[in-house]
Amino acid sequence: MLDLILRRCALPTGGEPVDVAVKDGRIAEVRPALEAQARDEIDVDGRLVTPPFVDSHFHMDSTLSYGLPRVNESGTLLEGIALWGELKPSLTDDAVKERARRLCRWSIARGTLAIRSHVDTSDPSLLAVRALLEVREEMKPWIDLQLVAFPQDGVLRLAGACDSLERALDLGVDVVGGIPHFERTMADGAESVRLLCEIAAERGLRVDMHCDESDDPLSRHVESLAQQTHRLGLHGRVAGSHLTSMHSMDNYYVSKLIPLIAEAGLHAIPNPLINITLQGRHDTYPKRRGMTRVKELMAAGVNVAFGHDCVMDPWYPLGSHDMLEVAHMGLHVGQMTGRAEMLACFDAVTTNGAKALGLDGYGLAPGCRADLVVLQCRNPIEALRLSPTRLYVIRGGRVIARTAPETTELTLGEATETVSFDF
């Protein structure tokens, strides 16, 4: 007997409703009108069933610390970095873990079951690293948490930072990070890219660098990242996060740069909510949007995955870890309102993120892990429009979160009716 059947599911790819059967934590069958029985059945009634949302770029060590020790009043990236520097000396193991656990519970409720989180390795004690390694193991039954060794203060700029980063990798951190645009010089930035990519190649690890998170069109470290990826044969294992300087580059240079990114098989990870909030702060008008060239990267075949980046921390005062909110903002700021473009934004918080993280068994095909989210909507575009209720969140074939459908009852004169936002 099957463990679970979801009946009459709408899939992101469209087509007629299908039944999704689960056995031993895996998807066993996907087809219409499945003649089988299971211990549990859920009639989805034509609502959208998707693999879980993926957050490809986050900072769990700083999450939910808004107001500690003060608020970022300028709203700039650099004040946020300075504020985080003020907070770090007072961090405790218990506080980091408590905030991370709370965020993970928000994530589960929102249907986000895979997160790549950068963790600051600039502190030689590696307090936050050790805390999040514990949270990673604790939450493993419910969330795939991938950690990036992130030298926030610069791997060459800060004495001992490279040693701390390597010790973090020795402890079990999954991915090599970097921040070349924060090094002292452009040359040091390029050297940091070379050094960090070589460390990743020697250890057989992936790379994800904060790259060119700047309004400066001459911040071009992604070019070095593409070159080192090509030189070391790291194709498909390297991501450039943010890439915001690309919004200020001249079109001729970008016409050379994007093919280099595509050739190297880099993943691009913009963070729409945060990029448009932090960037362009020194502009009057016209004011730059701050997000990288998502449409152009996608058109060139680059895998683009969106990240939330921050939730209530020194850089961003809002958020509830809703990846549909991220995709919704990416759609708007990227002016991606064509049907195929809107579907691509949905992919940027699901399948594209899974590809960037290298998740095994992700998807809706037989044999994939039975990690599923049932949404109170009928298709991905409606999901982007409504950010609908996550009716069921399923991990390994077991329901781990459920929410009653959202309804509103109107009384207009003598008549009572229920409002539906379906189109």
Side-chain angles (χ1 to χ4, degrees):
M1 180 177 284
L2 296 166
D3 298 323
L4 173 69
I5 298 177
L6 301 181
R7 299 284 188 187
R8 299 191 292 163
C9 307
L11 299 186
T13 51
E16 64 179 313
V18 298
D19 295 344
V20 178
V22 174
K23 177 73 172 176
D24 297 329
R26 296 274 171 176
I27 296 174
E29 285 192 77
V30 180
R31 62 182 179 85
L34 180 65
E35 294 183 3
Q37 291 185 329
R39 292 184 179 87
D40 292 303
E41 291 195 15
I42 299 173
D43 185 1
V44 172
D45 191 22
R47 293 188 174 100
L48 180 63
V49 175
T50 178
F53 298 109
V54 178
D55 185 354
S56 300
H57 185 107
F58 196 66
H59 290 266
M60 198 170 286
D61 50 355
S62 61
T63 195
L64 304 183
S65 65
Y66 179 70
L68 301 175
R70 58 185 178 83
V71 170
N72 182 346
E73 294 292 352
S74 73
T76 61
L77 172 66
L78 293 181
E79 185 177 352
I81 292 173
L83 206 165
W84 174 240
E86 295 171 22
L87 177 59
K88 279 194 289 187
S90 65
L91 290 178
T92 66
D93 178 78
D94 287 343
V96 172
K97 288 190 288 191
E98 189 278 329
R99 290 194 290 262
R101 290 180 184 124
R102 187 178 179 194
L103 190 282
C104 285
R105 283 161 172 76
W106 289 12
S107 304
I108 292 167
R110 293 297 194 189
T112 301
L113 302 186
I115 304 168
R116 175 179 279 181
S117 176
H118 297 249
V119 53
D120 191 356
T121 60
S122 298
D123 171 16
S125 76
L126 299 179
L127 181 148
V129 170
R130 297 176 194 277
L132 291 188
L133 284 169
E134 284 189 41
V135 173
R136 183 186 68 182
E137 294 309 304
E138 179 183 321
M139 298 305 298
K140 192 173 182 178
W142 307 288
I143 289 181
D144 295 309
L145 177 56
Q146 197 175 88
L147 298 179
V148 184
F150 175 49
Q152 173 74 77
D153 297 329
V155 74
L156 298 179
R157 184 172 181 167
L158 179 69
C162 189
D163 175 68
S164 294
L165 180 140
E166 293 220 57
R167 286 191 293 113
L169 298 174
D170 291 340
L171 289 171
V173 171
D174 308 283
V175 181
V176 178
I179 186 168
H181 56 278
F182 198 63
E183 302 291 352
R184 286 192 175 87
T185 66
M186 297 293 283
D188 278 357
E191 174 63 14
S192 76
V193 172
R194 182 196 66 78
L195 172 67
L196 292 165
C197 284
E198 288 182 352
I199 289 172
E202 290 167 6
R203 291 174 175 261
L205 299 177
R206 292 177 176 267
V207 177
D208 189 338
M209 291 198 189
H210 286 58
C211 213
D212 305 322
E213 189 181 2
S214 168
D215 293 327
D216 180 5
L218 298 179
S219 185
R220 299 177 173 183
H221 295 294
V222 68
E223 182 181 70
S224 297
L225 186 61
Q227 190 271 335
Q228 294 297 336
T229 299
H230 191 69
R231 179 178 74 86
L232 296 167
L234 296 173
H235 303 76
R237 291 164 50 193
V238 178
S241 286
H242 295 292
L243 307 179
T244 59
S245 68
M246 202 181 297
H247 73 236
S248 299
M249 292 174 181
D250 67 84
N251 290 333
Y252 176 79
Y253 176 69
V254 172
S255 73
K256 167 196 171 186
L257 179 61
I258 289 181
L260 290 177
I261 292 172
E263 179 189 23
L266 291 188
H267 307 281
I269 305 179
N271 299 280
L273 293 171
I274 313 306
N275 292 157
I276 69 165
T277 302
L278 295 179
Q279 308 311 131
R281 285 281 181 164
H282 296 281
D283 294 350
T284 52
Y285 290 95
K287 188 180 288 287
R288 286 168 286 183
R289 291 176 179 269
M291 192 169 75
T292 195
R293 303 191 189 204
V294 172
K295 284 202 288 190
E296 292 82 356
L297 287 163
M298 286 181 169
V302 175
N303 183 55
V304 178
F306 290 158
H308 203 303
D309 198 6
C310 306
V311 170
M312 298 183 68
D313 69 4
W315 295 273
Y316 188 62
L318 304 173
S320 64
H321 214 212
D322 185 345
M323 293 308 297
L324 282 173
E325 183 180 341
V326 174
H328 183 267
M329 182 60 74
L331 181 159
H332 282 81
V333 74
Q335 298 181 328
M336 298 177 68
T337 53
R339 179 174 174 80
E341 292 171 340
M342 290 190 285
L343 292 173
C345 286
F346 187 84
D347 288 346
V349 294
T350 52
T351 55
N352 294 4
K355 184 177 179 181
L357 271 62
L359 297 180
D360 292 327
Y362 179 95
L364 291 173
C368 290
R369 297 192 314 186
D371 297 347
L372 307 163
V373 181
V374 181
L375 298 167
Q376 191 181 352
C377 65
R378 306 289 174 178
N379 58 64
I381 293 174
E382 198 167 86
L384 293 168
R385 180 170 67 89
L386 299 176
S387 193
T389 298
R390 282 66 164 169
L391 300 174
Y392 299 93
V393 179
I394 297 166
R395 176 75 162 182
R398 299 183 64 183
V399 175
I400 61 172
R402 68 181 72 214
T403 307
E406 180 183 0
T407 60
T408 301
E409 187 177 272
L410 301 184
T411 302
L412 305 177
E414 299 300 318
T416 299
E417 61 186 271
T418 298
V419 171
S420 170
F421 293 96
D422 294 352
F423 182 66

